[in-house]
């Protein structure tokens, strides 16, 4: 209807430019319009018996008629660029990945089948009538097809960016007028980044995106994200963080399996509104070895896509006990209760030294008579044998200049953690702000003459960062966790930490009167981390809580694990993802000497073995940065569990080895985010000069392609003066005036 009234395609008006072809000056048009308006006003003023309102209505109708007539006399035209018939190529890409096998509900066809039906209803014929239509399927790669019937679905990955870039490369050899991509927009190959979008836009080829599937799901539970530490210590309790996407379900149950054995289960409250809910699930690390975890969310009633209810992860559990060195300048209750809190934790070795007199030290947890005989490690290598150091109420002057250097390097180069506790001779009052370690701390310690440590009652408050950290987890339920901290007994002392540095993270705050001050603060420095605890009376939690309440013990266990676990081994082998699906298995190895200095010239060998016992090719190359790091690339396409073993030598000297595991999966990610990603599809179309289409709109797509400005185009001038709509408007204006005059009896 509209094309008949306008005389041309709607897409001509959307892409064309309006102009006047008569060549007469436009000022003449405006002068004639002004004279006509003056004549209409003068005529109306001679017929005042009509009244002001009626004269205005008739005057507007007469002027509109005159203006339209004058515009038609100037011969309006539409200048458009249109692709030349039969001289251009249009590329049609249809998503053939595993996600297009999805059915929005049990009564509808798969997304791929819906796309084929819509395209074959006439769209492909119309496209082929004016251009050379080339058909492609794409998933993990783009491939030419003779017909849409060749689409089978089920491919293991979706690389939209890579497929589009391969299409734009055709423009170098053929006139490419446009690209049509039919997909749900779920990119799983990591090829659709900002740089790719910029390159696609720079080609000038319009990309029309056609969205498949619903934009939101109505009955689906999806385990969107799973975060599990890659390493653990035998006997400890570990924590997995799950993020569950839901559509109104009130609750679900999360189960953790190690192989086929159920090791943990927990109910998670989701709420009534659709969204994302995160929860922490605790599970035992068990004995030393590999934990092959599978975390599963119970399915919702009548849920169609159950493949996205589970994710996998690998955890390397070590039997190496982490060693923590605790040095106190005086006997204190805090020292006693910290040691008592971790006595039952066999994964930790707390070696403590308490200064009894200026030249005598009380040692606990040592393995030999020589260990810490002088109160502080005698060499840097002895200090580096520990994973973390705690310093209590000990003045900085108690250590030599060389020992301060060792302590700084312990954090910066060794990658250890340093925790400093409040006390009469601790923190700023002990002069720690004036020694090399002071520059590593998360705050600028006070240096005033008056003491910063003293008695002060205060309550503990958990911060947002604390709630997300392992140290602040007293309960797996977030709401209960906050309540657990809020009901902790009050502390009896406090020491000011001074001004925080930009990288400081506050995990706990001390509430006193009407203000809050940082209580537990940390920051990364070099390879390690530093911590400050502005109190020495956490022992009151144990004394004032009921005997079965283990919150004090739990806090200090988690505190010591947080200090010691990040400490790197001399030789390590790790991967960013314990479960990989796309591309080669990539790991990073790090080789350090006994003093934890980089060894970029070590001889490194890697052996990779699949769970079938077959050895697969593995390549190791230095990172090129001279930091003792090596890039490990394992070529494996077969799904399964792979064991990667590293051996290193420094000349004839053999260094400690390292073992890592990575699981190869195929096609799993295609079951996640199984909805239409319309914002991304709209952005691709907008930045490339194309248009986003719903599947039920694509009947207009062939006409839109004809007015593309890419490929071989021709410029056309379309007359608008002879539009049926223009003559219809002229007639309607005069008819409206005649009807009004007749109604008002003023013919």
């Amino acid at each position: 209807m509209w094309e008949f009234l306008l005389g041309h395609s709607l897409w001509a008006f959307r892409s064309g430019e309006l102009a006047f072809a008569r060549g007469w000056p436009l000022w003449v048009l405006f002068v004639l319009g002004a004279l006509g308006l003056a004549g209409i006003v003068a005529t109306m003023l001679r017929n005042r018996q009509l009244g002001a309102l009626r004269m205005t209505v008739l005057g507007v109708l007469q002027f509109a008629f005159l203006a339209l007539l004058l515009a038609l006399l100037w011969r309006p035209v539409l200048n458009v660029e249109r692709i030349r018939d039969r001289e251009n190529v249009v590329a049609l890409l249809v998503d053939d990945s595993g996600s297009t096998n999805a059915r929005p509900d049990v009564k509808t066809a798969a997304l791929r089948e819906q796309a084929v039906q819509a395209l074959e209803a006439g769209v492909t014929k119309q496209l082929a009538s004016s251009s050379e239509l080339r058909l492609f399927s794409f998933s993990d790669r783009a491939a030419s097809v003779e017909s849409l019937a060749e689409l089978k679905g089920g491919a293991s990955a979706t690389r939209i960016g890579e497929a589009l870039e391969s299409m734009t490369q055709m423009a170098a050899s053929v006139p490419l007028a446009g690209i049509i991509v039919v997909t749900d927009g779920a990119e799983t190959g990591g090829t659709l980044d900002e740089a790719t979008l910029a390159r696609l836009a720079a080609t000038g080829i319009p990309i029309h995106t056609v969205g498949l599937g619903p934009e939101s799901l109505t009955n689906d539970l999806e385990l969107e994200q799973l975060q599990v530490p890659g390493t653990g210590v035998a006997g400890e309790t570990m924590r997995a963080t799950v993020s569950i996407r839901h559509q109104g379900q009130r609750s679900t149950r999360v189960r953790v399996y190690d192989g086929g054995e159920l090791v943990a289960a927990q109910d998670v409250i989701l709420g009534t509104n659709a969204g994302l809910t995160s929860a922490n699930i605790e599970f035992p690390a068990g004995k030393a070895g590999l934990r092959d975890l599978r975390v599963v969310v119970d399915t919702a009633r009548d849920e169609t896509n159950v493949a996205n209810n589970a994710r996998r992860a690998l955890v390397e559990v070590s039997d190496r006990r982490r060693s923590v060195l605790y040095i106190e300048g005086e006997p204190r209750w805090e020292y006693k209760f910290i040691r008592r809190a971790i006595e039952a934790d066999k994964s930790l070795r707390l070696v403590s030294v308490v200064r009894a007199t200026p030249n005598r030290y009380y040692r606990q947890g040592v393995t030999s008579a020589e260990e810490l005989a002088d109160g502080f490690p005698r060499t840097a290598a002895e200090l580096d044998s520990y994973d973390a150091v705690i310093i209590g109420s000990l003045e900085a002057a108690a250590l030599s200049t060389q020992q301060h250097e060792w302590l700084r390097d312990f954090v910066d180069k060794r990658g250890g953690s340093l925790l400093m506790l409040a006390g009469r001779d601790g923190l700023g009052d002990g002069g720690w702000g004036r020694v090399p370690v002071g520059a590593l701390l998360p705050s600028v310690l006070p240096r005033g003459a008056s003491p910063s440590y003293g008695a002060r009652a205060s309550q503990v408050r958990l911060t947002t960062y604390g709630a997300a950290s392992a140290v602040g987890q007293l309960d797996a339920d977030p709401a209960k966790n906050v309540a657990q901290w809020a009901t902790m007994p009050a502390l009896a002392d406090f020491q000011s930490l001074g001004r925080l540095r930009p990288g400081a993270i506050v995990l706990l705050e001390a509430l006193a009167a009407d203000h809050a001050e940082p209580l537990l603060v940390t920051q990364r420095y070099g390879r390690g981390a530093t911590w400050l605890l502005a109190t020495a009376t956490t022992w009151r939690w144990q004394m004032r809580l009921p005997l079965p309440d283990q919150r004090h013990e739990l806090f200090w266990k988690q505190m010591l694990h947080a200090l010691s676990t990040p400490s790197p081994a001399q030789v390590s082998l790790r991967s960013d993802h314990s479960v990989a699906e796309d591309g080669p298995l990539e790991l990073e190895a790090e080789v350090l000497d006994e003093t934890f200095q980089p060894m970029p010239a070590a001889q490194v060998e890697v052996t990779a073995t699949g769970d079938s016992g077959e050895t697969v090719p593995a390549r190791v190359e230095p990172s090129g940065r001279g930091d003792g790091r090596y890039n490990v690339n394992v070529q494996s396409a077969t799904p399964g569990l792979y064991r990667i073993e590293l051996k290193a030598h420094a000349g004839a000297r053999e260094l400690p080895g390292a073992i890592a595991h990575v699981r190869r999966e195929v096609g799993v990610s295609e079951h996640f985010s199984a909805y239409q990603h319309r914002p991304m599809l709209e952005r691709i179309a907008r930045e490339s000069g194309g248009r986003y289409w719903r599947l039920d709109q694509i009947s207009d797509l062939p006409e839109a392609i004809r007015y593309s400005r890419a490929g071989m185009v021709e410029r056309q001038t379309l007359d608008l003066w002879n539009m049926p709509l223009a003559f219809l408007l002229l007639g309607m204006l005069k008819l409206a005036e005649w009807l009004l005059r007749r109604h008002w009896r003023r013919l």
Side-chain angles (χ1 to χ4, degrees), residues 315-390:
V315 179
E316 305 278 355
V317 178
S318 171
D319 58 357
R320 182 177 76 88
R321 297 181 69 191
R322 300 284 179 170
S323 298
V324 179
L325 172 60
Y326 181 10
I327 303 176
E328 268 289 0
E330 58 181 335
R332 296 198 296 174
W333 288 108
E334 190 79 329
Y335 165 82
K336 173 184 177 180
F337 279 85
I338 290 175
R339 283 207 61 90
R340 181 184 295 178
I342 60 98
E343 278 180 347
D345 193 337
K346 302 304 181 182
S347 64
L348 288 171
R349 184 175 79 101
L350 182 60
V351 184
S352 57
V353 177
V354 180
R355 185 175 58 186
T357 66
N359 297 316
R360 292 181 58 193
Y361 299 93
Y362 177 63
R363 298 174 294 161
Q364 287 182 277
V366 296
T367 57
S368 66
E370 291 75 22
E371 185 176 8
L372 304 176
D374 296 334
F376 193 86
R378 297 173 178 174
T379 64
E382 184 181 358
L383 178 61
D384 288 342
S385 67
Y386 299 97
D387 298 291
V389 174
I390 302 174

Side-chain angles (χ1 to χ4, degrees), residues 90-96 100 115 119 124 127 133-139 141-145 148 151 159-168 170 176 178-184 205-212 701:
V90 174
L92 173 60
L93 290 93
V94 182
D95 193 342
D96 197 29
T100 61
L119 291 169
T124 54
L127 290 169
L133 179 62
R134 297 188 182 181
L135 302 178
F136 297 87
S137 68
F138 79 94
S139 50
R141 60 185 179 87
S144 176
V145 295
L148 297 179
L151 274 63
R159 296 189 176 95
I160 301 176
E162 186 176 293
L164 290 175
E165 286 199 290
S166 66
M167 293 300 101
T168 58
M170 288 197 306
L176 189 59
I179 300 172
I180 304 170
V181 55
V182 185
T183 178
D184 58 2
I205 301 172
I207 300 174
H208 295 266
T209 57
V210 180
L212 292 179
L701 182 54

Side-chain angles (χ1 to χ4, degrees), residues 651-679:
R653 181 164 47 97
E654 183 175 354
L655 300 175
I659 297 175
H661 293 82
V662 181
R663 177 174 292 281
R664 160 74 72 197
E665 291 184 339
V666 176
V668 175
S669 61
E670 287 293 315
H671 300 289
F672 290 82
S673 300
Y675 55 88
Q676 184 188 151
H677 297 248
R678 178 168 176 170

Side-chain angles (χ1 to χ4, degrees), residues 197-235:
L197 289 172
R199 289 194 298 269
L200 292 173
T203 63
I205 301 172
I207 300 174
H208 295 266
T209 57
V210 180
L212 292 179
E215 296 177 33
S216 61
L217 303 178
T218 57
N219 186 35
D220 185 61
L221 283 176
E222 176 180 315
L223 183 53
E224 184 169 285
Q225 191 173 34
L226 171 64
Q227 294 180 331
V228 182
T231 59
V233 180

Side-chain angles (χ1 to χ4, degrees), residues 9-42:
S9 169
L10 284 173
W11 292 99
F13 286 88
R14 290 179 177 178
S15 61
E17 297 176 355
L18 187 64
F20 291 101
R22 188 67 69 182
W24 297 339
L26 285 179
W27 65 267
V28 176
L29 174 63
F30 291 114
V31 168
L32 292 176
L35 292 175
L37 178 61
I40 292 171
V41 172

